Structures are given as structure tokens and as C-alpha cells.
């Protein structure tokens, strides 16, 4: 049984609303994603790493903490915070479509502030569209789909599919175990006796 | 006989603009080793579709380290057999019907088959971030007796290693 089903309805609604906030605010999503990736951090560490002003950092931490998506770890000062795992399944009202809100999705949303390709994709296809793209990105890295399969399925151009798959690739590799595949530079260089010069290319 | 290097759409997307370090590093590597990357027509079309801001690929072609292949001749048995095989391989990888797989995905394999059938190169390298496509070409041409001649190169890994 999933975490969300064995809790009181009020808690689920509260969590959903706070998660909806996370998806609306890339900076908030970024903070949550940082805690999911790096374990725990103090407000000072969050300020330094995410380049947040002190007031904003405290506001964010308090909001996420009140909502129950992060929790403080120690009674001692300074308090460090840790993220609670989020896994919500959202079903469209017609019941035909559903997507999952996971830490990976929140991480991807958090990067729209710094990644133009992710930002553009969300503008065009929404958060639900991004959730779908993440599924394709995981499957692509695992070798079960190609960018053209994705393009055909969701009716976008192969180039647009390739661009979002590449933007999501680092996130997929951070959250999932992906087996390496294919030959490397060394394999090609050794087999063909090629030169790899280390000279810096002139501007 | 020399080697032929066939690259997919994702390889060039990963390089970015000509001002990008990755682009320049790969170009230097190609020029230094007299490598000219060959791309299927379909890849060229994907990279120059109207929605794209700038056709970086045209710059690379002009610089002389990328060339677009001629149309594939489907009457060459190895070409058609390889394309069918790759299409089937990708369909199986995601348990979906073959008709849901774009022929463009098989075009990399078709081009590799063309090169091998013409005996214009003794080894062929496929550079793509689409593992399903790369492994598909390797598997299908491997089963046609070209196991030692065909290599799928992970495009991201290749570029990252070149940047180190």
C-alpha cells in the first residue's frame, strides 16, 4: 500500500496542495530537490548552495516544513532538514490519464529556473507534459525507446524530443541506476589508432 | 580500408552551437584524425526542420567534417534486411508493434549496411544517444556476419570523454 493511501484524507490533501506549490515555484522545487539529492542541510547551507537570501530561505523551509514535505532532523542548533519522499499519482477528471508526482519531477521543475530547454518545454506542454517526458527520458537511457519513438507517440518533432531528452538526462542519471551502454572514446581511439590531442581549441 | 563514422541527430544536439566547447572539441578531433561524420538524409532533415533556430549542421558540413549520405538503395538486400531488423529490434525493446517505429530509426542501420555492402569501409561506428537504436544496429548487423565491423558508440559518453 502506498504512503498516500494509508493516511488520513486531510493529510493527503495538505500534501497535495504543498506539492502543487512546489510545481508552481521552481525555487521551492529546487530546495526540495537539493534535500532529496544531498540528504540533509541547514538553512545556512541551503542559502550558500542555492544562493538564497536568508529571509527567503527561512520562508521556504518553514512552508515546506509546515506542509510536511520536509522535516527537521535534530534538536540541536543549527537545525538540519531532510526531505520526505513524495509520490502522488494524479488522475485527470475523465479518469483516462494519470501521472505521478515524484522527486524526479520536482527536481526537473526546479531546474526550469536555470535550464532554458526545460522551461520552454513546460511552457508548451505543462507539468503533466514534463512528467511524460521524464518517463521517456528514463526509458531512453535504459534503451527501450528512442527520441523518434517519443516524438511519434506525443506528436512533437524529433528535434524537440531530442532536446528535452538531453535536458532531462542528468536528472535521470542522478535519480536512477542506469547501466552504461555502448563503446567509449577509448575503444574507438584504440581500434582505429586515432589521436586525441589535449590542446585547447582556439577561441 | 578506412573506417566510416555515422552520427545521429542526438550527437549534434549534444554538441550545441559552433561557439560551444563541445562542438569545437569534436570538430578538432575529427579534423585531426581526418574523420568525416556521415549522416543519413533523415538525420539532416531532423536537424534542419523549420522549428530549429539555426542549422548548426550546415556550418559543420561547410567546415568539411560532416557529410550527408546519398539516398539509401532499398534494393540492396543487406540494406533492407538491416532496416527491417533494426525496426523490429526497437519495437521489441518497448514491446510495441513494429509499425509504431519510425523508419528514420532504422536509417542509421540502413546506412551502415550500405557502407558494408559496398565494402567502402572495413569498420563502421554509429554515434547515437539512442541506445535502443545503437544496440539494434549492432545486433542486426552482427547477426549478418559483421560483428567485428560494427560498433555502437554511446554519443554522450564519447563527447564527455573527449572533454575530459
Amino acid at each position: 500500500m502506498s504512503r498516500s493511501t494509508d493516511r488520513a484524507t486531510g493529510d493527503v490533501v495538505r500534501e497535495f496542495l504543498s506539492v502543487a506549490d512546489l510545481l508552481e515555484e521552481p525555487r521551492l522545487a529546487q530546495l526540495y530537490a537539493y534535500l532529496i539529492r544531498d540528504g540533509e542541510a541547514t538553512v545556512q547551507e541551503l542559502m550558500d548552495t542555492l544562493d538564497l537570501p536568508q529571509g527567503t530561505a527561512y520562508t521556504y523551509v518553514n512552508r515546506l516544513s509546515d506542509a510536511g514535505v520536509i522535516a527537521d532532523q535534530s534538536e540541536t542548533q543549527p537545525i538540519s532538514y531532510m526531505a520526505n519522499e513524495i509520490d502522488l499519482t494524479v488522475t485527470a477528471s475523465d479518469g483516462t490519464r494519470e501521472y505521478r508526482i515524484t522527486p524526479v519531477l520536482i527536481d526537473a521543475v526546479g531546474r526550469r529556473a536555470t535550464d532554458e530547454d526545460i522551461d520552454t518545454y513546460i511552457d508548451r506542454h505543462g507539468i503533466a507534459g514534463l512528467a511524460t517526458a521524464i518517463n521517456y527520458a528514463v526509458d531512453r537511457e535504459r534503451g527501450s525507446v528512442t527520441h523518434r519513438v517519443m516524438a511519434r507517440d506525443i506528436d512533437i518533432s524529433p528535434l524537440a524530443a531530442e532536446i528535452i531528452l538531453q535536458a532531462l538526462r542528468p536528472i535521470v542519471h542522478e535519480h536512477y541506476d542506469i547501466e552504461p551502454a555502448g563503446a567509449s572514446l577509448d575503444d574507438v581511439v584504440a581500434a582505429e589508432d586515432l589521436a586525441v590531442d589535449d590542446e585547447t581549441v582556439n577561441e | 580500408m578506412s573506417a566510416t563514422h555515422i552520427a545521429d541527430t542526438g550527437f549534434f544536439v549534444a554538441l550545441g552551437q559552433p561557439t560551444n566547447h563541445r562542438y569545437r572539441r569534436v570538430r578538432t578531433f575529427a579534423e585531426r584524425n581526418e574523420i568525416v561524420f556521415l549522416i543519413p538524409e533523415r538525420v539532416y532533415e531532423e536537424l534542419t526542420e523549420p522549428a530549429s533556430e539555426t542549422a548548426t549542421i550546415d556550418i559543420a558540413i561547410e567546415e568539411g567534417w560532416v557529410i550527408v549520405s546519398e539516398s539509401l538503395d532499398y534494393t540492396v538486400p543487406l540494406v533492407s534486411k538491416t532496416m527491417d531488423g533494426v525496426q523490429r529490434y526497437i519495437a521489441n525493446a518497448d514491446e510495441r508493434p513494429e509499425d509504431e517505429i519510425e523508419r528514420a530509426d532504422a536509417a542509421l542501420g540502413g546506412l551502415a549496411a550500405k557502407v558494408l555492402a559496398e565494402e567502402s569501409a572495413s569498420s563502421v561506428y554509429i554515434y547515437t544517444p539512442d541506445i535502443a537504436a545503437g544496440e539494434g544496429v549492432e545486433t542486426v548487423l552482427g547477426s549478418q556476419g559483421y560483428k567485428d565491423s560494427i560498433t555502437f558508440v554511446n554519443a554522450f559518453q564519447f563527447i564527455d570523454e573527449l572533454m575530459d
Side-chain angles (χ1 to χ4, degrees):
Chain A
M1 192 180 277
S2 76
R3 272 188 55 172
S4 55
T5 53
D6 62 13
R7 265 192 282 161
T9 312
D11 279 352
V12 174
V13 171
R14 189 183 64 154
E15 180 173 316
F16 175 73
L17 292 173
S18 59
V19 169
D21 279 350
L22 279 175
L23 298 175
E24 286 297 321
E25 294 180 54
R27 298 290 276 169
L28 207 55
Q30 216 174 14
L31 192 153
Y32 174 82
Y34 176 77
L35 289 176
I36 275 281
R37 280 200 310 268
D38 285 47
E40 54 184 79
T42 63
V43 173
Q44 184 64 47
E45 286 163 353
L46 292 168
M47 285 163 53
D48 295 344
T49 317
L50 304 174
D51 198 20
L52 290 170
Q54 190 177 33
T56 311
Y58 275 101
T59 308
Y60 283 179
V61 164
N62 289 336
R63 277 175 64 191
L64 294 176
S65 176
D66 288 346
V69 293
I70 69 171
D72 49 298
Q73 285 306 295
S74 50
E75 297 303 318
T76 53
Q77 293 292 331
I79 297 171
S80 61
Y81 293 86
M82 214 172 150
N84 292 326
E85 194 81 28
I86 291 172
D87 191 349
L88 287 174
T89 300
V90 181
T91 308
S93 52
D94 62 5
T96 56
R97 287 161 297 134
E98 65 174 37
Y99 67 91
R100 285 172 67 201
I101 298 173
T102 60
V104 189
L105 176 62
I106 294 164
D107 192 352
V109 170
R111 295 191 199 203
R112 75 182 295 185
T114 51
D115 190 309
E116 210 182 301
D117 294 328
I118 293 177
D119 192 44
T120 306
Y121 198 85
I122 296 173
D123 284 344
R124 288 187 189 155
H125 305 282
I127 301 290
L130 185 69
T132 304
I134 289 171
N135 293 338
Y136 280 103
V138 174
D139 289 347
R140 199 267 271 262
E141 295 304 314
R142 288 185 169 159
S144 62
V145 299
T146 67
H147 76 282
R148 296 181 183 99
V149 169
M150 174 186 176
R152 186 186 192 277
D153 281 357
I154 65 170
D155 197 22
I156 61 174
S157 75
L159 186 61
E162 184 61 54
I163 288 170
I164 191 63
L165 288 173
Q166 292 202 9
L168 294 172
R169 182 174 178 267
I171 304 172
V172 169
H173 279 261
E174 263 177 45
H175 293 268
Y176 294 87
D177 286 328
I178 305 287
E179 296 274 326
S184 65
L185 171 69
D186 287 346
D187 297 329
V188 182
V189 165
E192 299 299 324
D193 194 21
L194 303 177
V196 183
D197 63 32
D198 291 314
E199 287 168 35
T200 313
V201 184
N202 292 328
E203 292 293 327
Chain B
M1 270 192 291
S2 62
T4 293
H5 303 261
I6 298 172
D8 199 358
T9 304
F11 180 73
F12 295 100
V13 170
L15 298 185
Q17 297 296 311
T19 49
N20 195 304
H21 267 298
R22 297 161 76 84
Y23 179 99
R24 286 179 290 153
R25 187 74 188 87
V26 170
R27 183 186 62 195
T28 304
F29 174 79
E31 288 171 350
R32 171 92 191 260
N33 293 292
E34 295 177 352
I35 288 172
V36 177
F37 287 97
L38 184 63
I39 61 172
E41 281 179 314
R42 289 296 295 267
V43 166
Y44 180 78
E45 285 162 15
E46 285 185 8
L47 289 166
T48 52
E49 65 171 56
S52 76
E53 289 166 15
T54 47
T56 302
I57 194 68
D58 283 326
I59 296 168
I61 292 168
E62 208 168 299
E63 288 169 342
W65 57 280
V66 174
I67 190 166
V68 184
S69 108
E70 293 163 15
S71 300
L72 291 174
D73 181 356
Y74 302 114
T75 60
V76 176
L78 187 64
V79 170
S80 51
K81 210 184 284 182
T82 302
M83 290 185 72
D84 290 346
V86 171
Q87 206 165 354
R88 202 173 309 127
Y89 183 95
I90 297 171
N92 285 341
D94 199 38
E95 294 171 358
R96 53 171 79 213
E98 260 175 69
D99 60 10
E100 282 185 19
I101 305 302
E102 292 288 328
R103 285 300 270 179
D105 261 328
L108 292 170
L111 185 51
K114 175 182 188 282
V115 169
L116 292 169
E118 288 170 350
E119 297 186 352
S120 52
S122 52
S123 50
V124 175
Y125 296 88
I126 303 275
Y127 299 75
T128 178
D130 283 326
I131 294 160
E135 289 186 342
V137 177
E138 223 175 37
T139 305
V140 173
L141 278 169
S143 71
Q144 297 290 323
Y146 292 97
K147 196 176 182 302
D148 297 332
S149 311
I150 182 83
T151 307
F152 150 49
V153 183
N154 185 316
F156 292 126
Q157 200 178 318
F158 176 86
I159 298 166
D160 285 346
E161 285 167 346
L162 210 45
M163 296 304 292
D164 279 346

